[in-house]
Structure formats: structure tokens, C-alpha cells
Amino acid sequence: MEGRGVEPVSSPLTTHVLDTASGSPAQSLCLCLHMLEVHGQQWTELRNSYTDPDGRCPGLLPPGHMKAGTYKLFFDTEGSWRKRGQESFYPYMEVVFTITNETHEVHVPLLLSPWSYTTYRGS
């Protein structure tokens, strides 16, 4: 899968995933970034990657590639919890959001546990 061993790259779109049950970053969590195509209303996968030891995903969207539109971050939480011997109520989480100005940086944090999750527009 793409994303392993990627050098840190500045990205206008970032995420940070924290495991609130353990109080630590959610490392090695598989995630996919998609964009909704206006014509046909189909999701197009832009990137498939993993969070790093700090719970971040460097280079999620390369500089100059962000466009106004609707995006989705898909997080494979079940796979991550299973690797740790933990059951999860949520097999995956999808965060759908809209970018209206491609010159602004966008941060989408995710706080998760096996039984809950929260997200918000970060800074």
C-alpha cells in the first residue's frame, strides 16, 4: 500500500488521530482520502496511507493539489483495533467535509476510542 516510508511533505490538508482510551497517538491507522466528483457524484480515491507514530499523516495532499469541493477521510478503525487485540463498536469512520477556499490550510483531527469518536475543524 502507498504511504509507508513517505518522507514528510508539507500539506494543505492535515489530520491528527488520537486514541483517547490510551491517551496516545493512533499510529499505523490506515486511512484513505477521497474527493467527490461533481459529475456523476462518485468518490475518487486520492491517497491511501497510514498514520505515523505521532498519529499524523504527512503529505496527505501535496501542495497545489487542493481544490474546492467535498472530501472524505475514511479511517479503518476496526483493522487498527484488531491489531491491538481490541474489539471496536465502529468498524470504520468517515469524515466528510467541504473545502471552499483552496488557499486555506485545513486540519481535520479525530479523537477515537473503541466505543466513540469525535471530530472537529482544527487549526
Side-chain angles (χ1 to χ4, degrees), residues 9-80:
V9 174
S10 174
S11 177
L13 174 63
T14 57
T15 188
H16 190 196
V17 186
L18 298 172
D19 173 357
T20 58
S22 70
S24 60
Q27 62 180 335
S28 301
L29 174 65
C30 182
L31 60 97
C32 298
L33 174 65
H34 298 85
M35 183 176 185
L36 185 62
E37 295 298 327
V38 177
H39 306 297
Q41 295 293 300
Q42 297 281 330
W43 289 106
T44 299
E45 185 175 303
L46 302 177
R47 179 145 172 90
N48 184 327
S49 193
Y50 292 84
T51 55
D52 67 12
D54 192 37
R56 299 177 188 275
C57 187
L60 188 57
L61 192 60
H65 285 80
M66 188 155 65
K67 300 175 186 171
T70 302
Y71 291 79
K72 171 174 65 174
L73 278 169
F74 171 93
F75 298 91
D76 177 18
T77 52
E78 183 176 55
S80 179

Side-chain angles (χ1 to χ4, degrees), residues 63-116:
H65 285 80
M66 188 155 65
K67 300 175 186 171
T70 302
Y71 291 79
K72 171 174 65 174
L73 278 169
F74 171 93
F75 298 91
D76 177 18
T77 52
E78 183 176 55
S80 179
W81 292 117
R82 188 179 306 132
K83 286 183 211 171
R84 295 165 35 183
Q86 174 74 49
E87 287 187 28
S88 174
F89 183 69
Y90 298 102
Y92 62 89
M93 294 165 193
E94 292 182 327
V95 180
V96 178
F97 55 97
T98 303
I99 293 175
T100 55
N101 186 334
E102 59 263 2
T103 63
H104 291 167
E105 292 183 358
V106 176
H107 184 58
V108 183
L110 177 65
L111 307 175
L112 65 94
S113 81
W115 316 280
S116 67

